[in-house]
Amino acid sequence: MIISLKNEFNEAISVEFKLAVQTSFSVAEKYGFEIFLIGGIVRDLILKNPLKDIDIAVQGDAVEFAKALEKEGFKILNIQENLRTAKVEFSNNVVIDFASTREENYIQSGVLPLAYNFGCTLEKDVQRRDFSINTLAMNFNYELVDYCSGYDDLVNKKIRILHEKSFIDDPSRIIRTLKFKERFNFEIDDNTFELMQNYLKEVNSDMPLERIKSELKQYFEIKKEGLYERFIQSNAYKLISDNPIKEFDESILAKLSEYELYDDSEKWFLYIILLVVNSDFAIDRLNMNSFEKKILKETRSLLQKEIIEDKVAVYNLFNDLTGLSIAIYYVLTQNKMVKMFLDALKDIKILINGKDLIDLGFLPSPYFNKLFDVVLKEKLDGKLKTKEEEINFVKQFIEKEEG
């Protein structure tokens, strides 16, 4: 049965992108190339989901096809010789990625595969992909090309991997499975679920985790409640942790939102910390940047401290910490000192500085820190409001000390 996607294409694609795709098909016909819209864009056309990037597979050499487009007046932005891919800019700043069809071989679990047999048939190319729903293609006649029964899986809302070793080759596909399940409200195919759980019984502890981390970020950026709980239930945490926080009250995060402790773009890492704060299983392989390492270090340090009910001590402890660390600590402990800091102390700052003390006739010395501390204590108690009151208090404090 021939399935036409012409109506879906015309309704979903902007005029600019439509022109670029149609131009690509015309140039391909002129120069003897066979090209296909491929992967996520075809899937999302059928699902009527918002479209993102447009990818086109060239059954042949995508670099040579890009050069043909260049002859027609379009600009090559980038070429990857090793993968025979090219990025081309069309009119109105439309950019399309072109990839040569290829096969792949995984030498080591979790490591990028070796590409070979460039220019192979599209049928061979799609066999290297992750899920059947991502193997769909569209030809120049707007006809669906489906070698892996991906269309049936879309209709039946199923996520299905293509071969038995899929998760062994690329364990990040486990997170991707969960991501698509949540994003599309699909179910995981029974065999796919069984293979996923079989892998998680004996995780490869030496594999690099860059791709795992990237997929985790995308998973936890999905705007749905209960993501973390379902992630734990899936056993996927075993990819990066042997001792995760398995339960926490998500409503606490909603209550903390009013304090604006972290940007929404940072929230995904809060969940990563919940996974690894009690585990060193994969920390060295997560390739954390300096900010992420700081969050982990601060959170672990807070969890080891005994926090006394003293305004100055609480202020000094939390004031210089990253907001995300404070949020994670409160999620884990519900320590009332955090609420005291957030409600009454967080925005308090002393107004005098070293120059003000010098203007009073003092030479810079460690004594300045003592003066700042006593001013801070008075402010935390609500006794000083203005800078003038702080300066007068310092004068009186020094007079008493000298007297």
Side-chain angles (χ1 to χ4, degrees):
M1 179 179 69
I2 296 176
I3 297 175
S4 174
L5 299 178
K6 187 171 185 178
N7 289 338
E8 289 85 348
F9 179 83
N10 286 330
E11 290 174 6
I13 303 290
S14 68
V15 173
E16 294 81 8
F17 271 98
K18 190 183 301 182
L19 180 60
V21 171
Q22 290 170 338
T23 299
S24 297
F25 280 130
S26 297
V27 172
E29 186 175 19
K30 177 178 178 180
Y31 287 88
F33 289 90
E34 193 166 5
I35 67 173
F36 305 84
L37 259 68
I38 189 76
I41 184 172
V42 181
R43 177 199 69 216
D44 291 335
L45 276 176
I46 296 169
L47 292 176
K48 300 188 185 303
N49 286 334
L51 304 181
K52 296 183 180 179
D53 298 331
I54 292 182
D55 294 317
I56 290 181
V58 179
Q59 191 168 267
D61 191 332
V63 173
E64 292 303 314
F65 179 62
K67 292 177 181 177
L69 288 169
E70 189 176 42
K71 290 179 183 178
E72 299 297 316
F74 304 109
K75 183 180 179 182
I76 297 176
L77 298 180
N78 176 264
I79 287 176
Q80 279 189 281
E81 292 286 355
N82 60 325
L83 292 177
R84 305 306 291 171
T85 63
K87 190 183 294 287
V88 177
E89 182 178 11
F90 292 79
S91 306
N92 299 315
N93 300 315
V94 170
V95 175
I96 294 181
D97 290 315
F98 296 89
S100 305
T101 51
R102 65 180 188 265
E103 295 185 83
E104 292 178 343
N105 184 30
Y106 285 84
I107 305 300
Q108 180 183 342
S109 176
V111 176
L112 287 172
L114 294 176
Y116 69 100
N117 196 19
F118 293 100
C120 66
T121 63
L122 181 70
E123 184 173 7
K124 287 184 176 180
D125 175 271
V126 297
Q127 296 294 332
R128 69 181 172 83
R129 296 175 184 265
D130 47 12
F131 308 109
S132 62
I133 60 174
N134 290 334
T135 64
L136 299 170
M138 188 190 85
N139 65 20
F140 73 101
N141 286 323
Y142 305 99
E143 295 168 346
L144 181 68
V145 182
D146 181 10
Y147 292 111
C148 302
S149 301
Y151 183 77
D152 288 341
D153 287 333
L154 274 185
V155 171
N156 295 315
K157 298 186 175 183
K158 290 285 185 181
I159 302 168
R160 176 173 59 85
I161 55 174
L162 301 181
H163 57 86
E164 300 286 299
K165 287 184 61 183
S166 185
F167 293 133
I168 296 172
D169 288 342
D170 184 358
S172 72
R173 287 173 176 163
I174 291 176
I175 314 296
R176 213 171 305 150
T177 300
L178 301 176
K179 178 181 71 178
F180 286 135
K181 178 181 185 295
E182 296 289 348
R183 184 180 290 171
F184 301 139
N185 294 314
F186 280 17
E187 294 300 320
I188 302 172
D189 164 76
D190 288 343
N191 184 56
T192 296
F193 184 79
E194 182 179 354
L195 291 170
M196 183 173 83
Q197 295 304 320
N198 286 342
Y199 178 83
L200 291 170
K201 290 175 183 176
E202 193 172 348
V203 170
N204 174 12
S205 60
D206 295 326
M207 65 178 172
L209 293 179
E210 286 87 352
R211 298 170 83 183
I212 298 285
K213 182 182 174 186
S214 174
E215 291 295 336
L216 282 170
K217 181 177 186 292
Q218 294 175 51
Y219 173 81
F220 285 120
E221 284 177 337
I222 296 172
K223 307 294 186 185
K224 290 179 75 173
E225 291 185 4
L227 279 175
Y228 187 84
E229 179 183 2
R230 292 191 290 277
F231 184 82
I232 294 296
Q233 291 171 349
S234 75
N235 292 321
Y237 68 85
K238 293 180 179 180
L239 292 168
I240 69 166
S241 177
D242 55 2
N243 187 25
I245 302 298
K246 291 193 173 181
E247 294 181 358
F248 79 98
D249 186 353
E250 282 204 51
S251 67
I252 295 173
L253 290 178
K255 294 174 184 175
L256 286 176
S257 62
E258 64 181 277
Y259 298 105
E260 299 181 345
L261 292 173
Y262 52 86
D263 293 332
D264 197 48
S265 62
E266 298 171 347
K267 186 178 179 180
W268 71 274
F269 194 68
L270 180 149
Y271 297 110
I272 304 298
I273 295 297
L274 294 179
L275 291 171
V276 303
V277 69
N278 293 330
S279 171
D280 289 327
F281 170 69
I283 285 176
D284 290 340
R285 294 179 289 124
L286 272 175
N287 194 28
M288 293 186 187
N289 59 35
S290 57
F291 172 76
E292 293 164 353
K293 289 177 180 176
K294 182 179 181 182
I295 300 301
L296 177 61
K297 182 178 179 180
E298 287 182 351
T299 304
R300 284 183 162 178
S301 177
L302 280 172
L303 290 171
Q304 293 170 0
K305 292 181 184 296
E306 181 180 353
I307 302 177
I308 61 173
E309 193 167 347
D310 175 82
K311 287 183 179 179
V312 175
V314 168
Y315 181 89
N316 287 333
L317 175 62
F318 291 114
N319 188 53
D320 293 327
L321 294 182
T322 311
L324 189 58
S325 304
I326 297 172
I328 296 168
Y329 175 73
Y330 187 67
V331 163
L332 293 175
T333 66
Q334 285 86 68
N335 189 304
K336 64 181 182 180
M337 294 298 99
V338 176
K339 282 288 288 177
M340 182 177 79
F341 172 75
L342 296 177
D343 290 333
L345 309 179
K346 182 169 74 77
D347 297 323
I348 293 177
K349 307 291 180 189
I350 63 172
L351 302 176
I352 61 170
N353 54 39
K355 183 178 181 303
D356 295 313
L357 297 181
I358 292 172
D359 289 343
L360 290 175
F362 296 100
L363 294 175
S365 73
Y367 185 59
F368 279 20
N369 291 328
K370 179 179 179 179
L371 294 175
F372 292 145
D373 285 342
V374 294
V375 170
L376 175 62
K377 185 177 186 307
E378 293 294 302
K379 290 211 73 165
L380 295 176
D381 287 336
K383 296 177 181 177
L384 301 176
K385 302 295 184 183
T386 67
K387 184 172 183 177
E388 183 179 0
E389 289 176 345
E390 291 180 24
I391 291 174
N392 289 333
F393 172 79
V394 168
K395 291 177 180 178
Q396 293 168 10
F397 179 82
I398 293 171
E399 287 176 4
K400 287 181 181 178
E401 284 231 313
E402 291 178 346

